[in-house]
Coordinates of all heavy atoms in Angstrom, one line a residue:
M1 N 1.7 1.2 14.8 CA 1.7 0.3 13.6 C 0.4 -0.3 13.4 O -0.4 -0.6 14.3 CB 2.7 -0.9 13.9 CG 4.1 -0.5 14.2 SD 5.0 -0.2 12.7 CE 5.7 -1.9 12.3
K2 N 0.1 -0.5 12.0 CA -1.2 -1.1 11.7 C -0.8 -2.2 10.7 O 0.3 -2.2 10.1 CB -2.1 -0.1 10.9 CG -2.5 1.1 11.8 CD -3.5 2.0 11.1 CE -3.9 3.1 12.1 NZ -5.0 3.9 11.5
T3 N -1.7 -3.2 10.7 CA -1.4 -4.4 9.9 C -2.5 -4.6 8.8 O -3.7 -4.5 9.1 CB -1.3 -5.6 10.8 OG1 -0.3 -5.4 11.8 CG2 -1.0 -6.9 10.0
M4 N -2.0 -4.9 7.6 CA -2.9 -5.4 6.6 C -2.3 -6.6 5.9 O -1.1 -6.8 6.0 CB -3.1 -4.2 5.5 CG -4.0 -3.1 6.0 SD -4.1 -1.8 4.7 CE -5.6 -2.2 3.9
T5 N -3.2 -7.4 5.3 CA -2.6 -8.6 4.6 C -2.4 -8.4 3.2 O -3.0 -7.5 2.6 CB -3.5 -9.8 4.9 OG1 -4.8 -9.5 4.2 CG2 -3.7 -10.1 6.3
C6 N -1.6 -9.2 2.6 CA -1.4 -9.2 1.1 C -2.8 -9.2 0.4 O -3.0 -8.4 -0.5 CB -0.6 -10.5 0.7 SG -0.3 -10.6 -1.0
K7 N -3.7 -10.0 0.9 CA -5.1 -10.1 0.2 C -5.8 -8.8 0.3 O -6.5 -8.4 -0.6 CB -5.8 -11.2 1.0 CG -5.9 -12.5 0.2 CD -6.8 -13.5 0.9 CE -6.6 -14.9 0.3 NZ -7.0 -16.0 1.2
Q8 N -5.7 -8.1 1.4 CA -6.4 -6.8 1.6 C -5.8 -5.8 0.7 O -6.5 -4.8 0.3 CB -6.2 -6.3 3.0 CG -7.2 -7.0 4.0 CD -6.9 -6.5 5.5 OE1 -5.9 -6.7 6.0 NE2 -7.9 -5.7 6.0
L9 N -4.6 -6.0 0.2 CA -3.9 -5.1 -0.7 C -3.9 -5.7 -2.1 O -2.9 -5.5 -2.9 CB -2.6 -4.8 -0.2 CG -2.6 -4.0 1.2 CD1 -1.3 -4.2 1.9 CD2 -2.8 -2.6 1.0
A10 N -5.0 -6.3 -2.5 CA -5.1 -6.8 -3.9 C -4.1 -7.9 -4.2 O -3.8 -8.2 -5.3 CB -5.1 -5.7 -4.9
G11 N -3.6 -8.6 -3.2 CA -2.6 -9.7 -3.4 C -3.3 -11.0 -3.4 O -4.5 -11.1 -3.7
A12 N -2.6 -12.0 -3.0 CA -3.2 -13.4 -3.1 C -2.9 -14.3 -1.9 O -3.3 -15.4 -1.9 CB -2.6 -14.0 -4.4
C13 N -2.3 -13.7 -0.8 CA -2.0 -14.6 0.3 C -2.3 -13.9 1.6 O -2.7 -12.7 1.5 CB -0.6 -15.2 0.2 SG 0.7 -13.9 0.6
D14 N -2.1 -14.6 2.7 CA -2.5 -14.0 4.0 C -1.3 -13.4 4.7 O -1.3 -13.1 5.9 CB -3.1 -15.0 4.9 CG -4.5 -15.4 4.3 OD1 -5.2 -14.5 4.0 OD2 -4.8 -16.6 4.3
Q15 N -0.2 -13.2 4.0 CA 1.0 -12.6 4.7 C 0.7 -11.2 5.2 O 0.1 -10.3 4.5 CB 2.1 -12.5 3.6 CG 3.2 -11.5 4.0 CD 4.6 -12.2 3.8 OE1 4.7 -13.3 3.5 NE2 5.6 -11.4 4.0
P16 N 0.9 -10.9 6.5 CA 0.6 -9.6 7.0 C 1.8 -8.6 6.9 O 3.0 -9.1 6.9 CB 0.4 -9.9 8.5 CG 1.2 -11.2 8.8 CD 1.4 -11.9 7.5
F17 N 1.5 -7.4 6.7 CA 2.5 -6.3 6.6 C 2.1 -5.3 7.7 O 1.0 -4.9 7.9 CB 2.5 -5.6 5.3 CG 2.5 -6.5 4.1 CD1 1.5 -6.6 3.2 CD2 3.7 -7.2 3.8 CE1 1.5 -7.5 2.1 CE2 3.8 -8.1 2.7 CZ 2.7 -8.2 1.9
S18 N 3.1 -4.9 8.4 CA 2.9 -3.8 9.5 C 3.6 -2.6 9.1 O 4.7 -2.6 8.6 CB 3.5 -4.3 10.8 OG 2.7 -5.5 11.2
A19 N 2.9 -1.4 9.2 CA 3.5 -0.2 8.8 C 2.9 1.0 9.6 O 1.8 0.9 10.2 CB 3.3 0.1 7.4
N20 N 3.6 2.1 9.7 CA 3.2 3.3 10.4 C 2.4 4.2 9.5 O 1.7 5.1 10.0 CB 4.4 4.0 11.0 CG 4.9 3.3 12.2 OD1 4.2 3.0 13.1 ND2 6.2 3.1 12.2
S21 N 2.6 4.0 8.2 CA 1.8 4.9 7.2 C 1.4 4.1 6.1 O 1.9 3.0 5.8 CB 2.8 6.0 6.7 OG 3.7 5.5 5.9
F22 N 0.4 4.6 5.3 CA -0.1 3.9 4.2 C 1.0 3.7 3.2 O 1.0 2.7 2.4 CB -1.3 4.5 3.6 CG -1.9 3.8 2.5 CD1 -2.5 2.5 2.6 CD2 -1.9 4.3 1.2 CE1 -3.0 1.8 1.6 CE2 -2.4 3.6 0.1 CZ -3.0 2.4 0.3
E23 N 1.8 4.7 3.0 CA 2.9 4.7 2.0 C 3.9 3.5 2.3 O 4.2 2.9 1.4 CB 3.6 6.0 2.0 CG 3.0 7.1 1.2 CD 1.7 7.7 1.8 OE1 1.6 7.5 3.1 OE2 0.8 8.1 1.1
E24 N 4.1 3.4 3.6 CA 5.1 2.3 4.0 C 4.4 1.0 3.7 O 5.0 0.1 3.2 CB 5.4 2.5 5.5 CG 6.5 1.6 6.0 CD 6.7 1.8 7.5 OE1 6.2 2.7 8.1 OE2 7.4 0.8 8.0
M25 N 3.1 0.9 4.0 CA 2.3 -0.3 3.8 C 2.4 -0.7 2.3 O 2.6 -1.8 1.9 CB 0.9 -0.1 4.3 CG 0.0 -1.2 4.1 SD 0.4 -2.6 5.2 CE -0.3 -2.0 6.8
A26 N 2.1 0.4 1.4 CA 2.1 0.1 0.0 C 3.5 -0.3 -0.5 O 3.6 -1.2 -1.3 CB 1.7 1.4 -0.7
N27 N 4.5 0.2 0.1 CA 5.9 -0.2 -0.3 C 6.2 -1.7 0.0 O 6.7 -2.4 -0.7 CB 6.9 0.7 0.5 CG 7.2 2.0 -0.3 OD1 7.0 2.0 -1.5 ND2 7.8 2.9 0.4
K28 N 5.8 -2.0 1.2 CA 6.0 -3.4 1.7 C 5.2 -4.4 0.8 O 5.8 -5.4 0.5 CB 5.6 -3.5 3.2 CG 6.6 -2.9 4.1 CD 6.3 -3.3 5.5 CE 7.4 -2.7 6.4 NZ 7.3 -3.1 7.8
S29 N 4.0 -4.0 0.5 CA 3.2 -4.9 -0.3 C 3.8 -5.0 -1.7 O 3.8 -6.1 -2.3 CB 1.8 -4.3 -0.4 OG 1.1 -4.7 -1.6
Q30 N 4.3 -3.9 -2.2 CA 4.9 -3.9 -3.6 C 6.2 -4.8 -3.6 O 6.4 -5.5 -4.5 CB 5.3 -2.5 -4.0 CG 4.2 -1.8 -4.8 CD 4.5 -0.4 -5.1 OE1 5.7 0.1 -5.0 NE2 3.5 0.3 -5.5
Q31 N 7.0 -4.6 -2.5 CA 8.2 -5.5 -2.3 C 7.9 -6.9 -2.3 O 8.5 -7.7 -3.0 CB 8.9 -5.0 -1.1 CG 10.3 -5.6 -0.9 CD 11.2 -5.2 -2.0 OE1 11.2 -4.0 -2.4 NE2 12.0 -6.1 -2.6
H32 N 6.8 -7.3 -1.6 CA 6.4 -8.6 -1.5 C 5.9 -9.1 -2.9 O 6.2 -10.2 -3.3 CB 5.3 -8.8 -0.4 CG 4.5 -10.0 -0.5 ND1 5.0 -11.2 0.0 CD2 3.3 -10.3 -0.9 CE1 4.1 -12.2 -0.2 NE2 3.0 -11.7 -0.7
G33 N 5.2 -8.3 -3.5 CA 4.6 -8.6 -4.9 C 5.8 -8.9 -5.8 O 5.7 -9.8 -6.6
K34 N 6.8 -8.1 -5.8 CA 8.0 -8.3 -6.6 C 8.7 -9.7 -6.4 O 9.0 -10.4 -7.3 CB 9.1 -7.2 -6.4 CG 8.9 -6.0 -7.3 CD 10.1 -5.0 -7.0 CE 9.6 -3.6 -7.3 NZ 10.5 -2.6 -6.7
E35 N 8.8 -10.0 -5.1 CA 9.4 -11.3 -4.7 C 8.5 -12.4 -5.2 O 9.0 -13.4 -5.8 CB 9.5 -11.4 -3.2 CG 10.7 -10.7 -2.6 CD 10.6 -10.5 -1.1 OE1 9.9 -11.3 -0.5 OE2 11.2 -9.5 -0.6
M36 N 7.2 -12.3 -5.1 CA 6.3 -13.4 -5.5 C 6.4 -13.5 -7.1 O 6.3 -14.5 -7.7 CB 4.9 -13.1 -5.1 CG 4.7 -13.2 -3.6 SD 5.0 -14.9 -3.1 CE 6.4 -14.7 -2.0
F37 N 6.5 -12.3 -7.7 CA 6.6 -12.2 -9.2 C 7.9 -13.0 -9.6 O 7.9 -13.8 -10.6 CB 6.7 -10.8 -9.6 CG 6.7 -10.6 -11.1 CD1 5.6 -10.7 -11.9 CD2 8.0 -10.4 -11.8 CE1 5.7 -10.6 -13.3 CE2 8.0 -10.2 -13.2 CZ 6.9 -10.3 -13.9
Q38 N 9.0 -12.8 -8.9 CA 10.2 -13.5 -9.2 C 10.1 -15.0 -9.1 O 10.8 -15.8 -9.7 CB 11.4 -12.9 -8.4 CG 12.0 -11.6 -9.0 CD 12.7 -10.8 -8.0 OE1 13.0 -11.2 -6.9 NE2 13.2 -9.6 -8.4
Q39 N 9.3 -15.3 -8.1 CA 9.1 -16.8 -7.8 C 8.1 -17.4 -8.7 O 7.7 -18.5 -8.6 CB 8.7 -17.0 -6.3 CG 9.9 -16.7 -5.4 CD 9.4 -16.7 -3.9 OE1 8.4 -17.3 -3.6 NE2 10.1 -16.0 -3.1
R40 N 7.5 -16.5 -9.6 CA 6.4 -16.9 -10.5 C 5.3 -17.6 -9.8 O 4.8 -18.6 -10.2 CB 7.0 -17.9 -11.6 CG 8.1 -17.2 -12.4 CD 8.6 -18.2 -13.5 NE 9.9 -17.7 -14.0 CZ 10.0 -16.8 -15.0 NH1 8.9 -16.3 -15.5 NH2 11.2 -16.4 -15.4
D41 N 4.9 -17.0 -8.7 CA 3.7 -17.5 -7.9 C 2.5 -17.2 -8.7 O 2.1 -16.1 -8.9 CB 3.7 -16.9 -6.5 CG 2.6 -17.4 -5.7 OD1 2.7 -18.5 -5.1 OD2 1.5 -16.8 -5.8
Q42 N 1.8 -18.3 -9.2 CA 0.7 -18.1 -10.1 C -0.5 -17.2 -9.5 O -1.0 -16.3 -10.2 CB 0.1 -19.4 -10.5 CG -0.9 -19.3 -11.8 CD -0.2 -18.7 -12.9 OE1 0.9 -19.0 -13.4 NE2 -0.9 -17.6 -13.5
A43 N -0.8 -17.4 -8.2 CA -1.9 -16.7 -7.6 C -1.6 -15.2 -7.6 O -2.4 -14.3 -7.9 CB -2.1 -17.2 -6.2
H44 N -0.3 -14.9 -7.3 CA 0.1 -13.5 -7.3 C 0.2 -12.9 -8.7 O -0.2 -11.7 -8.9 CB 1.4 -13.2 -6.5 CG 1.3 -13.4 -5.1 ND1 1.3 -14.6 -4.5 CD2 1.2 -12.5 -4.1 CE1 1.2 -14.5 -3.1 NE2 1.1 -13.2 -2.9
L45 N 0.6 -13.7 -9.6 CA 0.7 -13.2 -11.0 C -0.7 -12.9 -11.5 O -0.9 -11.9 -12.2 CB 1.3 -14.3 -11.9 CG 2.8 -14.6 -11.7 CD1 3.2 -15.7 -12.7 CD2 3.6 -13.3 -11.9
D46 N -1.7 -13.7 -11.1 CA -3.1 -13.4 -11.5 C -3.6 -12.2 -10.9 O -4.3 -11.3 -11.5 CB -4.0 -14.6 -11.1 CG -3.8 -15.9 -12.0 OD1 -3.1 -15.7 -13.0 OD2 -4.3 -16.9 -11.6
A47 N -3.3 -12.0 -9.6 CA -3.7 -10.8 -8.9 C -3.1 -9.5 -9.5 O -3.8 -8.5 -9.7 CB -3.4 -10.9 -7.4
M48 N -1.8 -9.7 -9.8 CA -1.2 -8.5 -10.5 C -1.7 -8.2 -11.8 O -1.9 -7.0 -12.2 CB 0.3 -8.8 -10.6 CG 1.1 -8.4 -9.3 SD 2.8 -8.8 -9.6 CE 3.1 -9.9 -8.2
N49 N -2.0 -9.3 -12.6 CA -2.6 -9.1 -13.9 C -3.9 -8.4 -13.9 O -4.2 -7.5 -14.7 CB -2.7 -10.5 -14.5 CG -3.0 -10.5 -16.0 OD1 -2.6 -9.5 -16.7 ND2 -3.7 -11.4 -16.5
K50 N -4.7 -8.7 -12.9 CA -6.0 -8.1 -12.7 C -5.9 -6.6 -12.4 O -6.6 -5.8 -13.0 CB -6.7 -8.8 -11.5 CG -8.2 -8.9 -11.6 CD -8.8 -9.8 -10.6 CE -9.9 -9.2 -9.8 NZ -10.2 -10.0 -8.6
M51 N -4.9 -6.3 -11.5 CA -4.7 -4.9 -11.1 C -4.2 -4.1 -12.4 O -4.5 -2.9 -12.5 CB -3.6 -4.8 -10.1 CG -4.1 -5.1 -8.7 SD -5.5 -4.2 -8.1 CE -4.7 -2.6 -7.6
S52 N -3.4 -4.7 -13.2 CA -2.8 -4.1 -14.4 C -3.9 -3.7 -15.4 O -3.6 -2.9 -16.3 CB -1.7 -4.9 -15.0 OG -2.3 -6.0 -15.7
K53 N -5.0 -4.3 -15.3 CA -6.1 -4.0 -16.2 C -6.9 -2.7 -15.8 O -7.7 -2.2 -16.6 CB -7.0 -5.2 -16.4 CG -6.4 -6.4 -17.1 CD -7.4 -7.3 -17.6 CE -6.9 -8.4 -18.4 NZ -6.3 -9.5 -17.6
L54 N -6.7 -2.2 -14.6 CA -7.4 -1.0 -14.2 C -6.8 0.2 -14.9 O -5.7 0.3 -15.3 CB -7.1 -0.8 -12.7 CG -7.7 -1.8 -11.7 CD1 -7.3 -1.4 -10.3 CD2 -9.1 -2.1 -11.9
T55 N -7.8 1.1 -15.2 CA -7.4 2.4 -15.8 C -6.6 3.2 -14.7 O -6.8 2.9 -13.5 CB -8.6 3.2 -16.3 OG1 -9.4 3.5 -15.2 CG2 -9.4 2.4 -17.3
P56 N -5.9 4.2 -15.1 CA -5.2 5.1 -14.0 C -6.2 5.7 -13.0 O -6.0 5.7 -11.9 CB -4.6 6.2 -14.9 CG -4.3 5.5 -16.2 CD -5.5 4.6 -16.5
E57 N -7.4 6.0 -13.6 CA -8.5 6.6 -12.6 C -8.9 5.5 -11.7 O -9.1 5.8 -10.5 CB -9.7 7.1 -13.5 CG -9.4 8.4 -14.2 CD -8.6 8.2 -15.5 OE1 -8.6 7.1 -16.0 OE2 -7.9 9.1 -15.9
E58 N -9.2 4.3 -12.1 CA -9.6 3.2 -11.3 C -8.5 2.9 -10.3 O -8.8 2.6 -9.1 CB -9.9 2.0 -12.1 CG -11.3 2.1 -12.8 CD -11.5 0.9 -13.9 OE1 -10.5 0.3 -14.3 OE2 -12.6 0.6 -14.2
M59 N -7.3 2.9 -10.7 CA -6.1 2.6 -9.9 C -6.1 3.7 -8.7 O -5.9 3.3 -7.6 CB -4.9 2.6 -10.7 CG -3.6 2.2 -9.9 SD -3.8 0.5 -9.3 CE -2.4 -0.2 -10.2
K60 N -6.3 4.9 -9.1 CA -6.2 6.0 -8.1 C -7.3 5.8 -7.1 O -7.2 6.0 -5.9 CB -6.4 7.3 -8.9 CG -5.7 8.5 -8.1 CD -5.8 9.8 -9.0 CE -5.6 11.0 -8.0 NZ -6.4 12.1 -8.4
A61 N -8.6 5.5 -7.6 CA -9.7 5.3 -6.7 C -9.5 4.2 -5.8 O -9.8 4.2 -4.6 CB -10.9 5.1 -7.6
W62 N -8.9 3.1 -6.3 CA -8.6 1.9 -5.5 C -7.6 2.2 -4.4 O -7.7 1.9 -3.2 CB -8.0 0.8 -6.4 CG -7.6 -0.4 -5.6 CD1 -8.4 -1.5 -5.3 CD2 -6.4 -0.8 -5.0 NE1 -7.8 -2.4 -4.6 CE2 -6.5 -2.0 -4.4 CE3 -5.1 -0.1 -4.9 CZ2 -5.4 -2.6 -3.7 CZ3 -4.0 -0.6 -4.2 CH2 -4.2 -1.9 -3.6
F63 N -6.6 3.0 -4.8 CA -5.5 3.4 -3.8 C -6.1 4.2 -2.7 O -5.8 4.0 -1.6 CB -4.5 4.2 -4.6 CG -3.1 4.0 -4.0 CD1 -2.3 2.9 -4.2 CD2 -2.5 5.1 -3.4 CE1 -1.1 2.8 -3.7 CE2 -1.2 5.0 -2.9 CZ -0.5 3.8 -3.0
E64 N -7.0 5.2 -3.1 CA -7.6 6.1 -2.1 C -8.5 5.3 -1.1 O -8.5 5.5 0.1 CB -8.4 7.2 -2.8 CG -7.5 8.3 -3.4 CD -6.4 8.8 -2.3 OE1 -6.8 9.1 -1.2 OE2 -5.2 8.8 -2.7
Q65 N -9.2 4.3 -1.7 CA -10.1 3.5 -0.9 C -9.3 2.7 0.1 O -9.7 2.5 1.3 CB -10.8 2.5 -1.9 CG -11.9 1.6 -1.2 CD -12.3 0.5 -2.1 OE1 -12.5 0.7 -3.4 NE2 -12.4 -0.7 -1.6
K66 N -8.1 2.2 -0.3 CA -7.2 1.4 0.6 C -6.6 2.3 1.6 O -6.4 1.9 2.7 CB -6.1 0.7 -0.2 CG -6.6 -0.4 -1.0 CD -7.2 -1.5 -0.1 CE -8.1 -2.4 -0.9 NZ -8.8 -3.5 -0.1
R67 N -6.4 3.6 1.3 CA -5.8 4.5 2.2 C -6.9 4.7 3.4 O -6.5 4.8 4.5 CB -5.5 5.8 1.6 CG -4.8 6.8 2.5 CD -4.8 8.2 1.9 NE -3.9 8.2 0.7 CZ -2.6 8.4 0.6 NH1 -2.0 8.4 1.8 NH2 -2.0 8.4 -0.5
V68 N -8.1 4.9 2.9 CA -9.2 5.1 3.9 C -9.3 3.9 4.8 O -9.5 3.9 6.0 CB -10.5 5.4 3.2 CG1 -11.7 5.3 4.2 CG2 -10.5 6.7 2.5
E69 N -9.2 2.7 4.2 CA -9.3 1.4 4.9 C -8.1 1.4 6.0 O -8.4 1.0 7.1 CB -9.2 0.3 4.0 CG -9.8 -1.0 4.4 CD -9.7 -2.1 3.3 OE1 -10.1 -1.8 2.2 OE2 -9.2 -3.2 3.7
F70 N -7.0 1.8 5.5 CA -5.8 1.7 6.4 C -6.0 2.7 7.6 O -5.8 2.4 8.8 CB -4.5 2.2 5.6 CG -3.3 2.3 6.5 CD1 -2.5 1.1 6.8 CD2 -2.9 3.5 7.1 CE1 -1.4 1.3 7.6 CE2 -1.7 3.6 7.8 CZ -1.0 2.5 8.1
D71 N -6.5 3.9 7.2 CA -6.7 4.9 8.3 C -7.8 4.5 9.3 O -7.7 4.9 10.5 CB -7.2 6.2 7.6 CG -6.0 7.0 7.0 OD1 -4.9 6.7 7.3 OD2 -6.3 7.8 6.1
S72 N -8.7 3.7 8.9 CA -9.8 3.3 9.8 C -9.4 2.1 10.6 O -10.2 1.7 11.5 CB -11.1 3.0 9.0 OG -10.9 1.8 8.2
L73 N -8.3 1.5 10.3 CA -7.8 0.3 11.1 C -7.4 0.7 12.5 O -6.8 1.8 12.7 CB -6.6 -0.4 10.4 CG -6.9 -1.2 9.2 CD1 -5.5 -1.7 8.6 CD2 -7.7 -2.4 9.5
P74 N -7.6 -0.2 13.5 CA -7.1 0.1 14.8 C -5.6 -0.1 14.9 O -5.1 -0.9 14.1 CB -7.8 -1.0 15.7 CG -8.1 -2.1 14.8 CD -8.3 -1.5 13.4
E75 N -4.9 0.5 15.8 CA -3.5 0.4 15.9 C -3.2 -1.0 16.5 O -3.9 -1.5 17.3 CB -2.9 1.4 16.9 CG -3.0 2.9 16.4 CD -1.8 3.2 15.5 OE1 -0.8 2.5 15.5 OE2 -2.0 4.1 14.7
D76 N -2.1 -1.6 16.1 CA -1.7 -2.9 16.6 C -1.4 -2.7 18.1 O -0.8 -1.7 18.5 CB -0.4 -3.4 15.9 CG -0.7 -3.8 14.5 OD1 -1.9 -3.9 14.2 OD2 0.2 -4.0 13.8
K77 N -1.6 -3.8 18.8 CA -1.3 -3.8 20.3 C 0.1 -4.2 20.5 O 0.7 -5.0 19.8 CB -2.2 -4.7 21.0 CG -3.7 -4.2 20.8 CD -4.5 -4.4 22.1 CE -5.8 -3.6 22.0 NZ -6.7 -4.3 21.0
Ligands
LIG1 ZN1 1.1 -12.3 -1.1

């Protein structure tokens, strides 16, 4: 398992997510984002708004960059 925080995944808080793969990590982050969206958390709404302004190419590049970041993380103890 590896851990990344909401902030590391373009979010707005320090909530950690643990996952075995980057896909799982992305899913957990998205799920959390949806919950925060439903609660109308302003910080997360701003973060999502920022991400939504990226072009598909920029989004892809961001995603790949985060995948590399995930791969380079040490395994949780
Ligand atoms: Zn968050």
Side-chain angles (χ1 to χ4, degrees):
M1 297 280 269
K2 296 183 180 192
T3 302
M4 285 177 97
T5 64
C6 178
K7 261 185 192 160
Q8 279 178 295
L9 294 157
C13 70
D14 290 318
Q15 165 133 355
F17 308 112
S18 297
N20 286 309
S21 70
F22 181 68
E23 280 67 28
E24 194 185 342
M25 182 69 78
N27 272 340
K28 287 193 175 185
S29 157
Q30 266 174 15
Q31 190 59 43
H32 167 73
K34 267 184 211 162
E35 281 166 23
M36 290 298 114
F37 182 79
Q38 277 160 7
Q39 290 170 27
R40 298 179 198 277
D41 181 87
Q42 193 57 50
H44 286 80
L45 292 181
D46 288 348
M48 274 178 235
N49 194 27
K50 213 166 130 191
M51 284 303 283
S52 72
K53 290 199 173 85
L54 296 182
T55 64
E57 286 77 26
E58 284 170 336
M59 185 62 119
K60 207 175 158 215
W62 178 87
F63 211 74
E64 285 312 309
Q65 186 195 317
K66 289 295 158 184
R67 184 192 297 279
V68 169
E69 204 175 311
F70 177 84
D71 286 342
S72 67
L73 285 174
E75 293 281 337
D76 290 348
K77 296 220 170 66

